[in-house]
Amino acid sequence: MLAERRHQLILRALRSGGPASVTDLSEQLDVSPATIRRDLVKLEEDGLLTRVHGGAVVDEGDQPFAEVAEVRVAEKDAIAACAAALVRDGQSVLLDIGTTAFRLARQLHGRRLTVITSNLVVYEELADDEGIELVLLGGMLRREYRSLVGFLTEDNLRQLHADWLFLGTSGIRPGGQVMDTTVVEVPVKRAMIKASDKVVLLADTAKFPGTGMAKVCGPEDLDMVVTNAPVDTATRAALEEARVEVLLAGKAQA
């Protein structure tokens, strides 16, 4: 693999998944740890990432949806299948922005549901499914991330109610705080939480701790977390204290 291509893949992995170790990057790209270390030195010299002990981190920023959608698809699909099994026909489902919510939407085909979303990719996925009553929230378009935001979106949510919210995140702090990298999305996420009976956080293992500068909510605002790997000890303790149920894709965790 050419160095330029490796550099692109390293940056993509760090932007979508947060901090990563040399070992993780080596396994993902199928190259030696020594090669990854040289790549990280070069990328740091170019000002594109920061090396930390054993790995590297990059400011995730506002990544294009198409780029993030290519990362950890199998893990997202496992989480989506677990989440979809929670929903009964006839219920209403609120889907957040993000790629895991999109994978969940794909699991809902053929169901008799009401789906509410500000996620344009979810809308496009379900638009032709006649069994689903689809509600698209209004708002200001974020073209690169295929979502709608702003006071119009928040006003729409104040007039709606959902049985389930499936919430995305950039990262979860050890104290259980749900974070996001994009401040403009936070008020919409908070309005979604208020509009829903049950709040389920969808978070693959890279989101522990993940990244994010803006707090969306605390663990007390969650009912469940669906993930694809065991949660770290500190975060798990915070979730247990807040009586949040953790579902490991495929089976329930107490």
Side-chain angles (χ1 to χ4, degrees):
M1 185 187 301
L2 295 176
E4 183 177 352
R5 178 58 176 164
R6 283 200 314 275
H7 294 172
Q8 292 174 350
L9 293 174
I10 288 169
L11 291 172
R12 179 179 296 175
L14 293 172
R15 286 167 176 162
S16 63
S21 69
V22 169
T23 301
D24 288 342
L25 293 170
S26 173
E27 291 175 354
Q28 287 182 46
L29 275 65
D30 194 24
V31 296
S32 71
T35 298
I36 293 295
R37 289 190 186 95
R38 288 194 295 270
D39 289 338
L40 296 182
V41 169
K42 177 63 168 64
L43 289 166
E44 186 175 51
E45 290 174 350
D46 292 342
L48 297 173
L49 56 73
T50 300
R51 285 187 298 156
V52 297
H53 180 69
V57 63
V58 67
D59 180 10
E60 184 177 3
D62 192 12
Q63 292 303 299
F65 185 98
E67 182 175 307
V68 182
E70 297 176 7
V71 180
R72 298 187 303 280
V73 173
E75 290 87 343
K76 292 172 184 176
D77 279 340
I79 291 169
C82 183
L86 297 170
V87 182
R88 299 191 307 272
D89 279 2
Q91 291 190 314
S92 53
V93 178
L94 183 51
L95 293 183
D96 192 12
I97 67 159
T99 57
T100 308
F102 163 60
R103 305 307 298 187
L104 173 53
R106 301 187 74 177
Q107 299 277 346
L108 300 179
H109 281 294
R111 304 284 300 275
R112 186 174 59 83
L113 300 167
T114 298
V115 175
I116 307 163
T117 191
S118 60
N119 187 328
L120 292 179
V121 184
V122 167
Y123 169 78
E124 291 163 2
E125 177 68 27
L126 298 177
D128 295 329
D129 192 320
E130 295 183 359
I132 292 178
E133 186 173 348
L134 189 56
V135 179
L136 181 64
L137 299 167
M140 182 75 69
L141 176 63
R142 287 181 63 210
R143 288 181 176 83
E144 285 298 303
Y145 212 68
R146 310 297 303 279
S147 68
L148 296 164
V149 297
F151 75 92
L152 291 175
T153 319
E154 296 163 48
D155 282 348
N156 284 177
L157 285 163
R158 281 191 278 271
Q159 300 175 59
L160 297 169
H161 170 270
D163 295 306
W164 295 93
L165 164 62
F166 293 98
L167 186 69
T169 181
S170 300
I172 306 168
R173 296 289 183 239
Q177 298 87 0
V178 178
M179 309 300 291
D180 202 274
T181 55
T182 310
V183 173
V184 71
E185 294 286 357
V186 172
V188 175
K189 290 176 182 284
R190 290 176 178 169
M192 287 181 171
I193 291 170
K194 290 180 180 178
S196 306
D197 279 346
K198 295 283 187 180
V199 179
V200 182
L201 185 70
L202 308 177
D204 61 56
T205 187
K207 304 300 175 66
F208 298 92
T211 57
M213 60 174 284
K215 179 181 174 182
V216 175
C217 67
E220 66 278 359
D221 295 307
L222 304 176
D223 293 288
M224 299 180 189
V225 173
V226 181
T227 185
N228 65 309
V231 178
D232 65 272
T233 303
T235 308
R236 187 171 190 92
L239 294 173
E240 287 177 349
E241 185 177 353
R243 300 181 181 233
V244 179
E245 183 179 3
V246 178
L247 300 181
L248 187 61
K251 64 177 182 178
Q253 299 288 305

